Amino acid sequence: MILAEGPSWNPIIDLQQMWSFPFMVNAFRAGTIVAVLAGAMGAFMVLRRQSFAGHTLSLIGFPGAAGAVLVGVAASYGYFAFCLIGALVIAALPRAGPGGYSEESAVTGTVQSFALACGFLFVALYKGFLNGINALLFGNFLGITTEQVALLGVVAAISLTVLGMIGRPLAFASIDPDVARARNVPVRALSVAFLMLLGAATAEASQITGTLLVFALLVMPAATAQALTARPVRALALTIAIGLLVTWLGLSVAYYTPFPVGFFITSFAFAGYVGAQAVRHAPSRWRAGGTPATPTPPGTAP
Amino acid sequence: MTWPPFLLHALLAGTAIAAAAGLVGYFVVLRAQVFTGDALSHVAFTGALAALAVGIDERFGLFAATIGVGVALGGRGRADDVVIGTVFAWILGLGVFFLTLYTTNNSAGNGNAGVNVLFGSIFGLNLSEAVTAAIIASVIVAATLVIARPLLFASIDNAVAAARGIPVRMLGYGFLALVGAAAAEASQAVGALLLLGLLATPAGTAQRLTTRPYSALLISAALAVAEMWAGLALSYTMPALPPSFAILAVATGGYALALLSTRRRAQSVTASVVVSELSSKINH
């Protein structure tokens, strides 16, 4: 993307060369923060089966950013404002019972497309911004400033601290809400808190990956990890590791090719997911140690 | 007053597309397959850009991708939302790849192709495109009306429908092919990202207004057409508003009005009304 010559295929020289550019250093710093945060949130999102909510939250960032640019403030504020408000709105909607799902999904679909339409209106009103629309939707890792990295780091630290504090009861409430409620775990408050954290994480990640591809970092590493192991703590660690790996690989490959980083990150993550599914469905004697067949982890059962 | 040709083309295509989306959308909402519609919106984007990148008609890619993925998702029964999410996240990444391929290979071409695919350009249709869209939409309308009765039965109570000899599996595949075709049509009107609104919003409004399935089906189609006309008129009189936004704003306003003006009804009431109505009709 930046250099005419290709990689030397010596990892140390290539890394030194890539990191001699401050924007690549910032891209790696930001990518690392985003991968850790999105991985941690995504693990809980998949466990709680809130993919549709997570997807809607990630799309709501688009009108936020476009609106912020229209009124002349930094896009970061727009992302955070809209994603957090969106999280509150989704939390305020009653969780659907078995019969209410069709109506709730119609509402969510309506809200989602209307939010995107508003984003398009803001872009159309802000004439001349039309080229920036691709950056908002598909991400741009070249223009990240050191201040943005610092802001990302602060938000990620706060979000991860809160998630660390509520992680254990949240996992309990996600796996078995009825038993958790009976044990006086505040299930509803935890659900609202988690959606707010998810909103903050999507707002952050959107700025690197773009609104349309945030969802990939949330869902794909978590889905891969939970296909490989059923243990929550191990799955969480694996999710973050996969997220980091695909982000670093994606950034490095995108640096040497003319294609966008989002394509590489999603493709590496999808390849990992397909590989994990292949391992899971392979006969157990092919697996190392002949471990007994793992129980189907939540969130991956067909 | 003479109407400019682009407005007539938009009205011709828009009316047929809205009717098709309203009818198909009712079943999408009834069968709780809105997330599938969401996935198809991303698939439509990638299909259109892949076709543009290799230099064939954009609409060919649209229909091939949405119908293909729609039927593939139907093959899994009711696919898991994590699986759907993972697949469409990657398909979207692929779409970004085709977008880059297309814009770098066609520096003289339309640099806003990606934006047009995502958000639609109904005022940009020429006569032959509008006529083609209208004919395909009419076929979708006719096909949906033909299978409406057994599909309704299967959507409400799959097991009983199967026991009565209705081919529920075939019906499910056929329906998802129709959803794919309707999604491809709708993305020509409001764009790939917003087609979910055209499918889900009139249907959600209609479900609010009546519990009778056939009335809801017709109201959904009528609302979609009326909202399409109102949106086109609004956008034509106020050029600052893009047509896709105007159409979805009118539709969302309609839904909000329906929400405010009706009391909350239990979905189980709908289901029992449907079952009793259908059973009586089938028994006769």
Side-chain angles (χ1 to χ4, degrees), chain B residues 178-254:
Chain B
L178 279 180
V179 176
E185 285 282 286
S187 64
Q188 293 173 50
V190 294
L193 273 186
L194 308 181
L195 68 86
L196 187 61
L198 209 52
L199 285 176
T201 310
T205 316
Q207 278 202 334
R208 273 273 151 191
L209 295 178
T210 178
T211 52
R212 295 180 168 278
Y214 289 108
S215 316
L217 188 61
L218 294 180
I219 290 176
S220 174
L223 270 176
V225 171
E227 285 160 356
M228 173 68 72
W229 287 347
L232 289 176
L234 192 64
S235 174
Y236 181 64
T237 47
M238 297 170 69
L241 299 180
S244 324
F245 170 79
I247 295 163
L248 284 180
V250 173
T252 309

Side-chain angles (χ1 to χ4, degrees), chain A residues 242-254:
Chain A
I242 294 170
L244 282 174
L245 189 69
V246 297
T247 307
W248 288 340
L249 268 179
L251 281 172
S252 307
V253 176

